[in-house]
């Protein structure tokens, strides 16, 4: 049996633009998912701006919040619904008032995770 050799991947210094907040990161993730569902392969950033993560990193962050019960399925449904609309819920609208609260809670918890990972500012 041959010896297994370790060949480290070369690292390249690429200037990445951090997300301003978790809301921007979430909308970017939803756009990436929409492109993927249409059959696009995301080798580069969909908006042409290099980001410090892949869409999967944001997905895994949200799923870890869900597994650890910092958010629940209702938070996730609101994130998905308004993410697809690419517009946050309006707290002034009576029908969206509860959704706005859930949206803010979920993004507040996501902000902490994304900052720790160096994804958002």
């Amino acid at each position: 049996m041959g010896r297994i050799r370790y060949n480290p991947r070369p690292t390249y210094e690429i200037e990445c633009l951090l997300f301003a907040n978790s809301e921007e990161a979430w909308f970017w993730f939803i756009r990436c998912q929409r492109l993927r569902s249409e059959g696009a392969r995301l080798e580069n950033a969909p908006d042409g701006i290099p980001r410090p993560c892949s869409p999967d990193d944001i997905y895994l962050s949200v799923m870890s919040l869900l597994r650890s019960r910092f958010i629940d399925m209702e938070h996730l449904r609101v994130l998905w619904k308004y993410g697809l609309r690419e517009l946050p819920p309006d707290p002034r609208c009576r029908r969206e008032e509860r959704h706005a609260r859930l949206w803010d809670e979920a993004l507040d918890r996501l902000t902490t995770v994304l900052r720790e990972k160096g994804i958002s500012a």
Side-chain angles (χ1 to χ4, degrees), residues 3-12:
R3 191 174 103 209
I4 297 174
R5 296 184 184 182
Y6 172 70
N7 293 323
R9 291 184 184 180
T11 57
Y12 303 102

Side-chain angles (χ1 to χ4, degrees), residues 3 5 19 21 27 71 82 95 104 108 117 121:
R3 191 174 103 209
R5 296 184 184 182
F19 293 104
N21 54 36
F27 286 136
I71 63 173
Y82 290 95
R95 291 184 321 184
D104 289 339
D108 180 51
K117 290 185 175 187

Side-chain angles (χ1 to χ4, degrees), residues 10-107:
T11 57
Y12 303 102
E13 291 296 322
I14 298 174
E15 196 65 33
C16 294
L17 180 65
L18 296 178
F19 293 104
N21 54 36
S22 59
E23 185 174 79
E24 181 184 355
W26 182 254
F27 286 136
W28 178 80
F29 164 74
I30 292 293
R31 281 191 299 277
C32 292
Q33 290 303 103
R34 186 175 285 154
L35 288 171
R36 280 181 176 173
S37 69
E38 293 171 359
R41 292 185 57 143
L42 298 178
E43 294 171 1
N44 297 329
D47 52 3
I49 302 169
R51 296 296 185 170
C53 67
S54 72
D56 295 333
D57 294 327
I58 295 173
Y59 172 79
L60 292 173
S61 298
V62 170
M63 289 299 113
S64 71
L65 288 172
L66 186 65
R67 276 192 309 276
S68 59
R69 297 184 180 165
F70 286 112
I71 63 173
D72 58 23
M73 284 304 293
E74 196 169 10
H75 289 98
L76 194 57
R77 277 191 220 91
V78 168
L79 284 174
W80 190 255
K81 175 182 177 180
Y82 290 95
L84 289 175
R85 285 177 34 181
E86 294 193 33
L87 191 68
D90 187 1
R92 298 169 295 174
C93 178
R94 187 174 198 109
R95 291 184 321 184
E96 296 181 4
E97 188 176 333
R98 184 164 191 276
H99 290 173
R101 183 182 56 80
L102 292 169
W103 174 267
D104 289 339
E105 287 174 5
L107 290 182

